[in-house]
Structure formats: C-alpha cells, structure tokens
Amino acid sequence: MYQEKIYDEAIRRIQARRIRAQEQQERRTEQIRAEIPETAELDRQLRTACLSIVQALKAEDRSERLKKLESHCLDADAMLRNILTAHGYPADYLDTQYTCKRCSDTGFVSGKPCECLEREIGIVGAEQLNAQSRLALCSFESFSLAYYRDLPPEQYRIMERICQQCRSYAEQFDARKSGNLLMIGNTGLGKTHLSLSIASVLLQKGFSVIYDSAGSLLHKLEQERFSRGGQSDTLDMLLECDLLILDDFGTEFDTSFTRSVIYTIFNSRLNAGRPFIVNTNLSKEDLQAQYGNRILSRLFSACIMQFYGTDIRLQKSIMQNRNQEA
Ligand SMILES: [Zn+2]
C-alpha cells in the first residue's frame, strides 16, 4: 500500500471518529430530552437565538442587539449546564466529544494537516508493514523466565534484568527520548519475543511501530528502488515511525545498496532522536567483521543486551515430545 492510499485510509478513520462523536452527541441529546423535559425549552431558546443573530446582523443597532443575544445565550447555556449537573451529569454532557480537540476530528487546522492526521498516517503505514511481516504479536505475560533456569546464576540474573528492562522500556516509552536497544544472542533466546512484546504494548498505546526482519525490509526497499524510480514510501516510514524494530540483523544480503540504506536508517533516526531496536544472532566480533565503522559506531551507541540460554523453541519441542511419549 503506498502513501496515497495510506493517507486516504487515515482521513477515513479520522472522519469516522467525527461522525461517531456527532451520533453519540445526538443520542445523548435525545436521552436528556426524554429524561429532563425542561432542557427542551432551553434548547429551543438557544436555537431561536441563532436565528435572531442572523437577523440582528442586518439591523442598524446590531452591536447592541448582538450583545443582548450573547448574554441571553450564555445564560441559557449556563442554565442548561446547571440542570445537567443537578441531575448528576457532567456539565459538558451535551457537548460533542471529539477525539481531537484541535481539529474537531476533521483532520485539518486552518487548511493544514492536524497532528492527529499525521499520527494516524504513521499508524496506518506501520500496520501495513507489520501485516506483511506476518508475525503474531507476543506479550510480556507469555514470556517465561523458566526457560533460563538451568543457566549459571549470574547469566540467569542477566536474563531477568533484560526482561525487566524491556518491560520498563515499553511502559516509559517516549518517541523522542527513549534510547536504542541492541539485542545480541543466538537464535531462540527470546530476542524476538521481547521486542514483539514491546511492539505490542506500544501499538496499543497508539505509537507507530514498524517491525520486520532486516532482510525483508531491505528487499522491499530494493524492489521499490527499481520499480518506482528511487522514490520510496517504505524508507520514509522506516525513518519516521515512532519505533523501528529490525529483526535478524546481519542476515540480509550484503551489497553496497543495503549498506548505504542501513547507514541512512541508523544515522537519520539517531539525528532525529527516533529510537530503534536491533536484534542479531551475530556476535559483536561478527558484526565488526561484517559492517564498517560508520555503521557500527551508530549501532553500538545503543544499550547492548547480551542474551544467554538454550534455544527455547528447541526446549519447547523436546518438552512436547516427552509429553507425547508419556
Ligand atoms: Zn486533529
């Protein structure tokens, strides 16, 4: 899905919020009218005042008339609010409750895209990329430290701490202030599970998170380079999303193109203060051998988490086989 469709979808979602807010307001009005009939009279007065304002605008003594109408409206409005609170409702119960107060869920403020629209574009874009990565989201609840209990105590404590750090990372995430994480360790030690758990918490909070393997993302970028004459919506999204999670870093094809893109991604995100999480099965030494200093100095500026343990998928399948035999 390319930028234009993402934009249309984001606008559609915001305008759906506007319609929903207005429908809810109408329902509340009907309910209050039935419950407190005296509000109908105040409502009528407010509507009549609207018509009188239109007429007053044409009159000679309009400033005087408008002043009177204004105070009349304010009185009626205040009375309405008093009645609502007296009946146990919030004073703004009959106001339309827009999700975005800045643009009243139109998506625009003085002709320019509102922050909420920009935010929604990021979320729709991330959803599209994540849908393509076909990975079910994991949660912290389903992450078990039991798989690490055979480790030497010191390594077990490190794993315990990593799990805790990932939880607080998700809880305290700030799209402009959070640091970067580099998860290092063999396959099946929980790197993907923990980074997807972070993604899951942040997506629920409304952040735009892009998660995919380095190989798959770079492949997409390479395809766009050839099919779309260098213009890349995927790259824009990778640079602009709130959090980028690159899984299986080091398994992508190593070409001058992929290297330059990797450098651009790390460098741009670092300069813009936008966080990333990188997972890799390569050791620090392997990374050093595979990537130049330009990339490594940027990658190693992240908080490095060294994972320990025995392949969890392997442990799970051994357990399953044992249970079947029993
Ligand atoms: Zn808005």
Side-chain angles (χ1 to χ4, degrees):
M1 195 202 265
Y2 288 114
Q3 208 65 38
E4 198 181 321
K5 283 189 186 160
I6 290 174
Y7 180 84
D8 290 347
E9 170 62 14
I11 296 232
R12 195 195 59 73
R13 287 187 189 183
I14 285 175
Q15 289 179 348
R17 282 179 205 154
R18 183 176 164 83
I19 293 169
R20 204 163 45 227
Q22 289 171 343
E23 283 171 352
Q24 281 166 354
Q25 196 274 342
E26 276 164 32
R27 266 202 298 278
R28 287 195 302 272
T29 306
E30 275 170 37
Q31 175 222 338
I32 290 294
R33 267 215 204 130
E35 214 173 293
I36 322 171
E38 59 197 294
T39 58
E41 170 54 22
L42 285 169
D43 216 34
R44 198 194 54 78
Q45 285 182 24
L46 283 166
R47 274 167 214 266
T48 322
C50 274
L51 287 174
S52 311
I53 287 171
V54 176
Q55 284 162 357
L57 283 172
K58 296 177 203 151
E60 290 270 314
D61 54 345
R62 57 175 165 265
S63 70
E64 211 170 297
R65 282 216 214 174
L66 285 173
K67 219 175 259 172
K68 248 188 223 164
L69 280 167
E70 189 192 5
S71 85
H72 186 66
C73 284
L74 288 174
D75 287 349
D77 193 54
M79 255 159 88
L80 191 59
R81 284 170 196 269
N82 283 339
I83 293 174
L84 286 172
T85 43
H87 282 79
Y89 289 100
D92 63 355
Y93 190 69
L94 291 179
D95 297 353
T96 312
Q97 306 291 350
Y98 294 113
T99 307
C100 177
K101 310 276 180 257
R102 287 188 72 218
C103 70
S104 304
D105 296 343
T106 58
F108 297 91
V109 180
S110 356
K112 290 202 181 108
C114 178
E115 282 165 21
C116 70
L117 176 58
E118 280 167 3
R119 166 137 232 101
E120 203 59 36
I121 289 173
I123 290 171
V124 177
E127 277 174 10
Q128 289 309 315
L129 279 176
N130 293 327
Q132 291 162 20
S133 78
R134 282 193 211 98
L135 267 160
L137 290 181
C138 298
S139 71
F140 286 114
E141 286 66 40
S142 61
F143 184 83
S144 167
L145 278 165
Y147 291 107
Y148 304 91
R149 68 181 156 222
D150 293 335
L151 285 174
E154 200 174 309
Q155 291 182 0
Y156 180 84
R157 274 197 298 275
I158 291 179
M159 290 314 299
E160 206 174 27
R161 198 171 61 227
I162 287 179
C163 177
Q164 193 43 53
Q165 282 175 321
C166 288
R167 271 177 188 268
S168 6
Y169 187 87
E171 278 160 20
Q172 296 158 13
F173 184 80
D174 182 314
R176 284 292 183 275
K177 289 191 189 127
S178 286
N180 309 307
L181 307 177
L182 171 59
M183 301 183 177
I184 296 185
N186 295 333
T187 324
L189 299 187
K191 302 188 298 293
T192 301
H193 191 126
L194 283 177
S195 29
L196 281 175
S197 305
I198 295 176
S200 165
V201 171
L202 298 190
L203 286 169
Q204 280 168 32
K205 286 187 183 173
F207 287 107
S208 58
V209 181
I210 292 179
Y211 172 93
D212 208 344
S213 74
S216 146
L217 283 176
L218 287 163
H219 181 64
K220 251 173 240 159
L221 291 173
E222 197 139 32
Q223 279 180 326
E224 285 186 2
R225 178 165 74 131
F226 291 115
S227 65
R228 310 183 69 240
Q231 188 210 342
S232 172
D233 294 333
T234 302
L235 184 60
D236 290 345
M237 284 191 269
L238 295 185
L239 298 183
E240 282 163 24
C241 62
D242 293 328
L243 177 66
L244 171 65
I245 305 179
L246 274 186
D247 205 17
D248 268 338
F249 183 69
T251 56
E252 72 281 353
F253 274 117
D254 186 15
T255 65
S256 58
F257 171 75
T258 57
R259 274 187 188 218
S260 106
V261 171
I262 289 169
Y263 173 78
T264 303
I265 293 173
F266 290 154
N267 195 49
S268 310
R269 291 195 67 94
L270 277 170
N271 286 342
R274 292 197 163 101
F276 57 76
I277 297 178
V278 172
N279 299 334
T280 182
N281 299 337
L282 300 180
S283 65
K284 268 196 204 172
E285 294 71 32
D286 292 338
L287 286 170
Q288 236 137 16
Q290 187 160 333
Y291 299 96
N293 266 340
R294 246 162 45 111
I295 290 180
L296 280 187
S297 63
R298 277 149 188 92
L299 188 54
F300 285 172
S301 68
C303 163
I304 300 179
M305 296 175 160
Q306 176 68 55
F307 280 58
Y308 295 97
T310 333
D311 193 329
I312 290 171
R313 273 164 276 191
L314 208 66
Q315 287 191 57
K316 274 187 187 162
S317 76
I318 291 171
M319 294 273 278
Q320 264 164 6
N321 286 338
R322 267 193 211 145
N323 290 343
Q324 276 163 8
E325 280 163 23

